[in-house]
Amino acid sequence: MSRKTISTTVIITIIVVVVVVVAAAVYAITAMQAPPTVPSPTPPPTASPSPSPTASPSPSPTPPPKPAKELVIGLSLPLAHPSGDHALKAAKMAAEEINNAGGIRLEDGVYKIKLVVEDTEEMNPSIPTEKGVEAFKRLIEVDGAKIILGGVRTDIVVAQSQLLSSYKIVFIDIESNNPWVEMKVAQDYPHYKYYFHLFANGSVFKPYMVLFPMALRSFSKTHPEYPNMSRMAILAENALWTVKIVGRPVGNSSYVKALQTKFGFDIPYMDLYPTTEADFSSYLAKAKAAGVGQILFLFSGAPGVAFVKQWQDYDWSPYKKPIVWGPGLLGGFSWFWDQTTGKAQSSIWWPASIRLPKDWPIQKTAEFYDRFKAKYHDTPNTAAYDIYDGMYILKIALEKAGTWNADKLVKALEQTDYEGVIGPIKFTRFHGLEFAEPKIYWYFGQWQNGKLVDVWSAGNPKVVYNLVMP
């Protein structure tokens, strides 16, 4: 081995030894400077906590009830007229009752009724047809009505009915007297099928207008203290609803001709008066000169009040004061007695809101009469009876159809078979009111000391009873 190789080996060995020695020294110095390790004291045993009673979970707050769905039903009424006022009150009664009983159950849930009303002004003597049409449109376009009830004056109802197929909305006519729209249902069902008539039309009433004067005539023959009621005058307001009854010119109708030729009445005086008439002195003078014993007076507005007052105060000597009777929209409920300050005494009206006889078979009629009178301090007129029933037959038909879709609702309404406050309700195939069974419209009522007393019934049409002298 060479000297050079030995020297290299020695050098490497020396270096390794030095590194080891230095490392050991550093470690020793570091260990001396570190603080001594003190063992951690053993913690005392921790007592197990007593389990606290489990608190009952607080109940989640009840979410507020969802707002009830609303079914908007529109009312098309003359609000300044007693017929419209009473109809609105009766509709509110029915809606409140239906809502309190749970509402109307349709396919997509339960609905509460929301009533909206527009004033048609239709009993204004000027007969503002355009205002009635505008009110009808507002109910649909602005108020969101899905169904409409209302109607009093025929002129307005005829105009409104022409909108039904365009809007596809059901309209229940509660009070107009003419069957014009019923005839349109027969002639043009697809366009007029949405119309239903919940009142006695003129064609239904005509037989009563023959049978009643005949009963009066028979009565006068056996009661000589009464005027001779074989002689008759006819006075009618010049409005559409009287056309089919008395004709144009007046007297040119099948009804008047039948009275004269078939039933033997002497009708020496017939006339029309304007819906704005306030002075009937000339009409009364002509009736007196004709020596009539009964006056058929057809009215729907304020002229009826003026006529009755003047008839009562008129000097009829040397004749006997004639009996006044007729279809008078306002004559048959307590408002009329008040407006005439009692001068309505002995006048006879149809339809009449009489407190029905004890043998009347439908208990709910008297119950409605009593509830309405107690609530509003007035006897209900026929518009109130009709719209009250209209609300309930709508409820039944809506639940049967499951929707207010007009075409489906029509089918359900056509199946109506309901005992209402006016009597049994069914519709003819032309959507008029079926009259085969008793109705409150069977009765004529006479004012006697502030009360309407029944004096004639279609159930016993040949006689009058309970009658007092004019």
Side-chain angles (χ1 to χ4, degrees):
M1 177 180 300
S2 69
R3 183 182 298 269
K4 183 179 182 179
T5 301
I6 296 171
S7 298
T8 301
T9 302
V10 171
I11 292 169
I12 292 171
T13 301
I14 293 170
I15 291 170
V16 170
V17 170
V18 170
V19 169
V20 170
V21 170
V22 170
V26 169
Y27 175 80
I29 293 169
T30 302
M32 286 187 295
Q33 290 177 345
T37 302
V38 179
S40 300
T42 303
T46 304
S48 299
S50 304
S52 58
T54 304
S56 301
S58 55
S60 301
T62 303
K66 293 181 179 179
K69 296 180 181 180
E70 289 184 334
L71 173 57
V72 181
I73 295 179
L75 305 178
S76 170
L77 297 169
L79 297 178
H81 190 267
S83 60
D85 175 56
H86 277 212
L88 177 58
K89 289 172 178 174
K92 288 180 176 179
M93 281 178 62
E96 182 178 340
E97 292 167 5
I98 292 169
N99 286 343
N100 289 343
I104 298 176
R105 186 172 297 278
L106 302 183
E107 289 174 345
D108 62 341
V110 176
Y111 285 76
K112 295 296 181 74
I113 295 171
K114 177 184 177 182
L115 295 177
V116 293
V117 61
E118 292 288 350
D119 188 0
T120 59
E121 302 182 39
E122 61 198 271
M123 298 312 293
N124 185 306
S126 65
I127 311 180
T129 303
E130 70 287 349
K131 290 188 177 180
V133 170
E134 289 168 5
F136 202 85
K137 288 181 175 179
R138 280 197 304 274
L139 284 171
I140 303 167
E141 297 176 358
V142 178
D143 302 325
K146 306 303 182 186
I147 306 145
I148 296 176
L149 296 91
V152 177
R153 192 180 283 283
T154 300
D155 313 62
I156 309 301
V157 168
V158 168
Q160 292 172 333
S161 69
Q162 296 175 52
L163 303 173
L164 301 181
S165 62
S166 298
Y167 286 104
K168 289 196 180 301
I169 191 167
V170 166
F171 177 36
I172 296 181
D173 171 9
I174 63 164
E175 197 75 2
S176 80
N177 188 256
N178 196 290
W180 189 91
V181 189
E182 290 179 45
M183 291 187 290
K184 297 301 288 185
V185 175
Q187 296 163 5
D188 188 2
Y189 180 85
H191 286 95
Y192 287 91
K193 65 181 179 180
Y194 306 104
Y195 172 87
F196 289 82
H197 198 182
L198 196 58
F199 187 65
N201 67 52
S203 59
V204 169
F205 177 58
K206 277 183 184 178
Y208 301 175
M209 293 178 66
V210 171
L211 294 169
F212 180 68
M214 289 177 66
L216 284 176
R217 181 174 62 185
S218 296
F219 182 85
S220 69
K221 287 179 179 179
T222 58
H223 293 76
E225 69 274 20
Y226 281 78
N228 176 11
M229 286 187 268
S230 64
R231 291 176 66 81
M232 177 188 237
I234 297 176
L235 290 174
E237 74 175 10
N238 193 6
L240 182 58
W241 74 276
T242 69
V243 171
K244 290 187 71 65
I245 300 173
V246 301
R248 299 294 187 274
V250 64
N252 185 30
S253 73
S254 60
Y255 166 69
V256 174
K257 291 176 180 177
L259 284 177
Q260 293 172 312
T261 60
K262 185 175 180 179
F263 300 106
F265 281 94
D266 184 8
I267 310 179
Y269 175 51
M270 293 178 276
D271 213 342
L272 296 173
Y273 63 88
T275 56
T276 55
E277 188 60 79
D279 182 2
F280 284 91
S281 56
S282 63
Y283 301 90
L284 295 171
K286 292 174 184 176
K288 176 181 175 179
V292 300
Q294 58 174 302
I295 300 174
L296 167 57
F297 186 74
L298 295 91
F299 82 100
S300 64
V305 173
F307 174 82
V308 164
K309 285 182 173 181
Q310 293 167 42
W311 157 76
Q312 194 69 265
D313 293 339
Y314 195 76
D315 179 9
W316 292 96
S317 62
Y319 301 102
K320 296 170 183 174
K321 182 183 292 184
I323 287 275
V324 166
W325 67 276
L329 181 61
L330 299 179
F333 70 108
S334 57
W335 176 92
F336 192 68
W337 178 266
D338 296 337
Q339 291 297 305
T340 63
T341 61
K343 297 293 178 67
Q345 174 72 10
S346 79
S347 63
I348 302 170
W349 303 106
W350 176 95
S353 296
I354 63 170
R355 184 66 162 74
L356 289 163
K358 292 181 179 179
D359 60 352
W360 177 252
I362 302 171
Q363 183 178 355
K364 66 169 61 175
T365 306
E367 291 173 350
F368 170 74
Y369 178 100
D370 292 341
R371 288 201 314 276
F372 189 98
K373 188 175 181 181
K375 189 176 182 69
Y376 299 116
H377 310 292
D378 205 353
T379 60
N381 60 30
T382 51
Y385 284 95
D386 296 334
I387 204 166
Y388 183 84
D389 278 343
M391 294 287 289
Y392 275 96
I393 64 173
L394 262 182
K395 176 187 185 300
I396 294 168
L398 282 161
E399 292 187 334
K400 183 177 290 186
T403 176
W404 58 75
N405 173 276
D407 292 302
K408 293 181 180 179
L409 187 55
V410 164
K411 294 300 182 185
L413 282 167
E414 289 174 337
Q415 300 170 39
T416 296
D417 187 355
Y418 174 70
E419 187 178 86
V421 296
I422 69 169
I425 298 174
K426 296 179 182 178
F427 290 111
T428 68
R429 60 196 181 100
F430 305 137
H431 296 180
L433 189 60
E434 175 63 63
F435 260 74
E437 300 175 87
K439 302 279 189 297
I440 60 170
Y441 304 122
W442 272 27
Y443 294 91
F444 280 65
Q446 184 182 45
W447 281 111
Q448 298 179 13
N449 302 318
K451 293 184 178 180
L452 273 171
V453 177
D454 58 301
V455 294
W456 183 89
S457 166
N460 189 13
K462 293 184 178 181
V463 300
V464 290
Y465 51 91
N466 298 331
L467 201 66
V468 299
M469 285 276 287

